[in-house]
């Protein structure tokens, strides 16, 4: 069997969902909708956190980082896939595949660290409200965000370089819709134990360890909330954390099912649909969840729409719909 380094492969072919032509059309439409909604929602969230002075707080600074991250993540995964479906080629160059793999890993890794830092931010805000402005000052927030990006990008670089040095067994067809690292590893015909060990160590550091930090933060948060005497205070505290917890459950649930599943469960088709949820549905829901669960964000969006003539028409239409339902 002919062996060649991954770096010597000029072009890769994607199988995607070609075995299911009818499903492929549905997946294309769903991915296009998810991408457009993610793009629109994330841009709106970033815009209001920059333009509205009431949202110049650590929580919204981290939220804008998360939104920016989601734009990069979905763009790296979905734009090539959507373009391939329209053109009918289902191919990607080596450099394109390497870049897609790197950005996918980097954005996912950064989100793990960023979500744990957002949990710490909520812990300080609820458990140490008087010292919150001092502890989470602008300099600290920038350092935390920068550290999250650096950690995610460096771990992704290590994983990507490790895989690209391996040899493939004479074929270059990836049974996936993107250059997902686990799918590319299936092309390799040499011993991958060292690469798998590196990936396992990084995965444990980024998934269970950061999730443990989030759980510890919320144990302290919950115990503090239960000590609040006023019902309104408890409700406000729960509301503040509910959006972040929902995002954490969605993100970590799909990520753990992809990267820490038992080796006996190895279905490439299931992996593809899990990747759609992990890479498309979760980023799409992030801005929606934070908008619906946060009064400050909703007020800022409404203020932004009022300044825009089209926004005024939209708000008027929504108010008319609401009034008609009441009558």
């Amino acid at each position: 069997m002919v062996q060649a380094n991954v770096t010597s492969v000029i072009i890769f072919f994607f199988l995607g969902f070609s075995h299911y032509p009818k499903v492929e059309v549905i997946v294309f439409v769903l991915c296009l909708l998810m991408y457009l909604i993610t793009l629109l929602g994330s841009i709106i969230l970033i815009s209001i956190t920059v333009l509205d002075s009431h949202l110049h707080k650590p929580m919204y600074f981290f939220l804008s980082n998360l939104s920016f991250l989601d734009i990069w993540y979905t763009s790296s995964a979905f734009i090539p896939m959507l373009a391939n479906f329209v053109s009918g080629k289902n191919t990607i160059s080596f450099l394109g595949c390497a870049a897609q793999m790197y950005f996918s890993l980097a954005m996912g890794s950064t989100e793990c660290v960023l979500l744990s830092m957002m949990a710490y931010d909520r812990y300080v805000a609820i458990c140490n409200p008087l010292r919150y402005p001092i502890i989470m000052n602008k300099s600290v927030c920038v350092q935390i965000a920068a550290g999250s990006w650096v950690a995610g990008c460096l771990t992704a670089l290590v994983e990507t370089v490790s895989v690209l040095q391996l040899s493939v067994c004479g074929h270059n067809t990836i049974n996936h819709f993107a250059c997902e690292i686990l799918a590319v590893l299936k092309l390799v015909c040499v011993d991958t134990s060292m690469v798998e060990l590196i990936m396992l160590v990084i995965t444990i550091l980024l998934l269970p360890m950061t999730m443990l930090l989030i759980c510890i933060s919320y144990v302290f948060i919950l115990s503090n909330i239960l000590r609040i005497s006023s019902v309104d205070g408890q409700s406000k505290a729960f509301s503040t954390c509910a959006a972040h917890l929902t995002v954490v459950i969605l993100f970590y649930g799909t990520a753990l099912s992809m990267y820490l599943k038992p080796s006996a469960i190895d279905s490439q088709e299931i992996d593809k649909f899990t990747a759609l949820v992990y890479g498309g549905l979760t980023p799409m829901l992030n801005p929606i969840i934070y908008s619906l669960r946060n009064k400050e964000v909703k007020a800022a969006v409404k203020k932004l729409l009022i300044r825009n003539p089209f926004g005024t028409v939209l708000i008027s239409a929504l108010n008319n719909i609401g009034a008609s339902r009441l009558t």
Side-chain angles (χ1 to χ4, degrees):
M1 186 175 291
V2 179
Q3 294 186 6
N5 288 340
V6 177
T7 51
S8 66
V9 178
I10 299 174
I11 195 168
F12 289 97
F13 294 89
F14 294 125
L15 281 182
F17 299 94
S18 56
H19 296 310
Y20 314 98
K22 293 182 180 179
V23 174
E24 196 171 29
V25 176
I26 296 172
V27 168
F28 170 78
V29 174
L30 289 176
C31 288
L32 180 60
L33 287 173
M34 285 191 293
Y35 177 66
L36 292 176
I37 293 171
T38 301
L39 200 62
L40 179 62
S42 298
I43 289 173
I44 289 173
L45 271 179
I46 293 171
S47 299
I48 61 174
T49 53
V50 172
L51 297 174
D52 196 317
S53 59
H54 294 95
L55 300 184
H56 291 176
K57 302 174 183 178
M59 175 181 172
Y60 301 108
F61 172 72
F62 294 130
L63 181 56
S64 62
N65 272 266
L66 183 63
S67 298
F68 181 72
L69 183 152
D70 285 338
I71 292 173
W72 271 94
Y73 185 78
T74 52
S75 296
S76 66
F78 281 4
I79 287 180
M81 183 187 71
L82 296 171
N84 283 337
F85 183 88
V86 172
S87 64
K89 291 182 179 179
N90 284 333
T91 60
I92 191 170
S93 65
F94 163 74
L95 289 177
C97 184
Q100 188 179 57
M101 186 191 301
Y102 172 74
F103 280 113
S104 174
L105 290 169
M107 298 304 106
S109 302
T110 302
E111 186 160 353
C112 288
V113 183
L114 192 59
L115 286 174
S116 65
M117 293 299 99
M118 290 172 74
Y120 174 72
D121 171 68
R122 292 299 83 209
Y123 159 74
V124 177
I126 293 173
C127 298
N128 296 284
L130 297 178
R131 298 185 60 201
Y132 179 65
I134 300 172
I135 297 174
M136 298 300 293
N137 58 62
K138 186 177 180 179
S139 176
V140 170
C141 291
V142 171
Q143 289 174 19
I144 288 174
S148 300
W149 283 94
V150 169
C153 292
L154 286 180
T155 54
L157 184 62
V158 171
E159 289 180 292
T160 303
V161 171
S162 300
V163 171
L164 295 180
Q165 290 179 343
L166 299 176
S167 300
V168 297
C169 299
H171 60 91
N172 55 347
T173 303
I174 301 173
N175 189 11
H176 210 278
F177 59 82
C179 283
E180 206 277 324
I181 190 168
L182 297 178
V184 175
L185 268 178
K186 294 183 185 298
L187 304 181
V188 175
C189 57
V190 295
D191 183 27
T192 60
S193 57
M194 181 56 67
V195 175
E196 289 175 357
L197 179 61
I198 291 171
M199 289 178 59
L200 179 62
V201 172
I202 291 175
T203 302
I204 290 173
L205 288 174
L206 291 175
L207 287 175
M209 292 301 293
T210 56
M211 196 171 181
L212 179 62
L213 292 174
I214 292 171
C215 290
I216 292 171
S217 296
Y218 274 99
V219 166
F220 284 106
I221 289 171
L222 184 61
S223 63
N224 194 275
I225 289 175
L226 294 175
R227 289 200 297 267
I228 298 175
S229 56
S230 74
V231 177
D232 289 339
Q234 287 186 348
S235 176
K236 185 177 180 180
F238 274 121
S239 178
T240 303
C241 299
H244 181 253
L245 269 177
T246 306
V247 170
V248 165
I249 292 169
L250 281 171
F251 177 79
Y252 279 93
T254 51
L256 288 169
S257 65
M258 274 189 66
Y259 294 106
L260 286 179
K261 66 178 183 294
S263 56
I265 305 174
D266 188 16
S267 172
Q268 198 63 37
E269 303 306 315
I270 293 175
D271 286 349
K272 292 177 192 177
F273 285 102
T274 305
L276 285 177
V277 175
Y278 175 73
L281 185 62
T282 304
M284 182 193 73
L285 291 176
N286 283 351
I288 297 173
I289 291 169
Y290 278 107
S291 298
L292 292 176
R293 299 291 304 183
N294 193 299
K295 292 180 180 178
E296 288 182 316
V297 172
K298 286 191 285 187
V301 171
K302 189 173 182 180
K303 189 187 299 183
L304 184 66
L305 290 174
I306 289 173
R307 292 175 183 173
N308 190 309
F310 295 103
T312 306
V313 174
L314 178 60
I315 291 173
S316 178
L318 291 173
N319 289 334
N320 290 334
I321 292 171
S324 64
R325 285 183 178 178
L326 290 173
T327 55

